Amino acid sequence: MVAPFRSRLLAAAALLALLAPAGAARAKSWCAYPLWAHEWGVQVFDGGGAPKPGGGLPAWFHHATAGGTSATPVRALPRDSGERDLPVLHFYTPGGGDVAVGLEVGFAHGAATAWYPDVDALRPAAEANSKGAATAREALLAARQVPPGERAPGVLPADPTRQLVWERLDLAAAAPAPPRKTDAAWVLGARALDGALWATAHGESERFVFYEAKTAEKAPLALSRGPRWTAARRELVLENTGAATLHDVTLVHREGGRAFLVTFARLDKGARATFVLDDFAAADPRAAAEAQARAAWVDPADPKPDMAWSWDFDHCVMMRDPAVPVEAAADHRLYRAEVDLVLATWGPRLYGADGTTLAYREDTAALDAAMPLSVYTDMRHFVVLHRLGLGLVEHVALP
């Protein structure tokens, strides 16, 4: 993290105030605070309709209505489609005080099904994922490149490719009202995260923003027998059949009191990994897999929110345009407490289930494309977006 040079920055600001015109001094006498936005979620592939973790969703979460706001009813989607389950977004800032945030969420391959707090706009998936919306987004991107003083009058519109739109979320260290009652363990865990801000919209507050969708994406992994397979030495081939690199790929298999754990740091697009399952016996595959996950997912430089954060001359962000959002993840790594929450919520299904399970981490660029985010904030903050997107293929048939 940046070394503290607050005293030098204040001295420089004072010098600018003496030497520059008043207007310029006001523009250059402060630096924006970071607003860390950390998202985690799991995309589940299961034809058997496995239950949601942590007791499911609270009854007070919002869902697509029956009045045509959802492009395709969930009940009409194919059974083998994927589900982007429990994507949760936390916010942190060292600056204190209230922060205004705008948020837009898209699902490139399906329709939003649940969210909280309530949104300002819900766009049908058929409209958001249309060619017309893509064309309109290109025009919006061009408009964002025009300096604010040279733009046509009026506010730039929301991104037409996003289904969920929060025009304004108010972030604060304390909830303006007591949170809703729940017995969902993952919600209670999220509320306990040290330093996470409460997000409020339409009188509803939570220590996160939630959104979920049913999608038509397919599992990007295929498991088959290798050419030297025998019953005694089961040679298998794991292939990345998707369009992007997969990271932290894990296969857990349990049978007759025995367990096996196979891991690959990455599988590039089209890559095939050959291994003999019987060579990877593990006494406690869940514990071993979770230890590897923590090593890969916890940010070693910032394992917890840095509330003492300060600037130096090379890391001072000024003159931000609130109309231009952050839309690309800078990293996948989260704070240690967030990763603990992910594993407490999902560990039993990722690494502890009977039979055969495949798990992986999505590439951040691929996640940005499949579930695009636009995060806006005021001129005194700048967004640093981290996204941990996991994939889970349950009840895999061992070939």
Side-chain angles (χ1 to χ4, degrees), residues 40 286 289-291 293-294 297 337-351 390:
W40 57 271
R286 179 180 171 187
E290 289 192 359
R294 284 187 171 88
W297 302 346
E338 293 172 325
V339 173
D340 288 343
L341 176 58
V342 173
L343 293 176
T345 304
W346 284 98
R349 288 175 68 180
L350 288 167
Y351 311 123
L390 306 178

Side-chain angles (χ1 to χ4, degrees), residues 251-255 258-260 352-357 395-398:
L251 181 150
V252 176
H253 177 70
R254 288 180 170 83
E255 61 179 17
R258 303 171 65 204
F260 305 86
D354 291 333
T356 307
T357 302
H395 311 306
V396 177
L398 194 66

Side-chain angles (χ1 to χ4, degrees), residues 31 49 51 59 61 69 75 110 112 143 169 181 234 263 296 371:
C31 298
F61 275 20
T69 54
R75 62 184 180 276
L169 290 155
K181 292 183 179 180
R234 292 168 291 181
T263 61
M371 192 170 67

Side-chain angles (χ1 to χ4, degrees), residues 100-116:
V101 166
L103 179 64
E104 300 164 354
V105 183
F107 300 95
H109 306 287
T113 55
W115 54 88
Y116 196 84

Side-chain angles (χ1 to χ4, degrees), residues 34-108:
L35 177 64
W36 296 298
H38 285 193
E39 179 198 66
W40 57 271
V42 181
Q43 183 176 18
V44 180
F45 298 94
D46 189 302
K52 295 183 184 296
L57 303 184
W60 34 269
F61 275 20
H62 299 282
H63 299 269
T65 69
T69 54
S70 181
T72 304
V74 173
R75 62 184 180 276
L77 292 171
R79 288 189 64 197
D80 63 350
S81 63
E83 184 168 8
R84 290 199 169 271
D85 214 354
L86 295 190
V88 178
L89 184 62
H90 306 285
F91 294 96
Y92 308 80
T93 186
D98 297 333
V99 183
V101 166
L103 179 64
E104 300 164 354
V105 183
F107 300 95

